[in-house]
Amino acid sequence: MNTASASAPASAPVDEPNWLTDEEQRVWRSYIEAATLLEDHLDRQLQRDAGMPHVYYGLLVKLAESPRRRLRMTELAMHAKITRSRLSHAVARLEKNGWVRREDCPSDKRGQFAVLTDQGLEVLKQSAPGHVAAVRQAVFDRLTPQQQKSLGEIMRIVAEGLQPSEAGADLPWLR
């Protein structure tokens, strides 16, 4: 919507929203459509080829990249940009598959580590080539090198703006 549907009484001050221009609306809708279709495309590819959703693949990748293939659960939630509850559910499913195990944190009785198992690393190695091919086909093969650079810069700016550093910020991994 780019116009107000009702008018305020003449005596009331009107705080009109800063509506999107037609061009901004076009860009926004294109972004939403592309992001939704891309996530669905990658999720279906990983479900078909590896029996896991895209978010689980991302968790395995982050653990594989971490020292000793382990991360604190809260840190893993932060990297995945998901709530701690969603992470706990995902890790439980990954544990059931034998791909991840939890270990208690010796320095913090409440803390736990998620640890990528050898079996999880093997699943990741087997599924990575197909996933990379899907990402390349869906995104990078369609863009020029300059468009790729611009897309990276734009997404970094958007992500940085949505991750305030002040205490009490409402971020998924803090919920």
Side-chain angles (χ1 to χ4, degrees), residues 15-123:
D15 287 334
E16 185 70 19
N18 185 13
W19 297 108
L20 298 179
T21 65
D22 289 345
E23 179 62 13
E24 289 169 334
Q25 190 71 257
R26 185 192 66 72
V27 169
W28 175 245
R29 289 180 181 177
S30 294
Y31 165 77
I32 292 296
E33 183 177 347
T36 301
L37 290 169
L38 180 60
E39 184 60 29
D40 179 69
H41 175 73
L42 297 176
D43 202 57
R44 285 184 296 113
Q45 176 271 320
L46 283 163
Q47 287 284 5
R48 181 184 60 245
D49 296 352
M52 75 176 97
H54 189 218
V55 71
Y56 291 14
Y57 180 86
L59 296 173
L60 296 180
V61 167
K62 192 60 196 167
L63 289 171
E65 294 172 342
S66 299
R68 298 174 51 210
R69 299 188 326 218
R70 70 178 45 224
L71 274 176
R72 293 280 302 253
M73 292 284 284
T74 52
E75 190 175 351
L76 187 55
M78 182 186 70
H79 286 293
K81 310 295 186 244
I82 60 176
T83 64
R84 291 178 288 193
S85 174
R86 185 171 181 204
L87 176 67
S88 184
H89 177 74
V91 169
R93 295 289 305 270
L94 293 168
E95 281 180 304
K96 186 176 179 183
N97 290 342
W99 301 346
V100 170
R101 72 175 181 274
R102 292 183 215 218
E103 292 179 356
D104 291 332
C105 178
S107 62
D108 178 1
K109 298 292 183 202
R110 295 179 304 165
Q112 284 191 318
F113 287 99
V115 182
L116 182 66
T117 65
D118 291 342
Q119 183 182 357
L121 183 60
E122 189 56 37
V123 166

Side-chain angles (χ1 to χ4, degrees), residues 154-173:
I154 290 165
M155 293 296 98
R156 181 186 48 75
I157 290 167
V158 171
E160 286 174 358
L162 293 170
Q163 297 183 89
S165 57
E166 67 267 3
D170 184 22
L171 297 167
W173 54 93

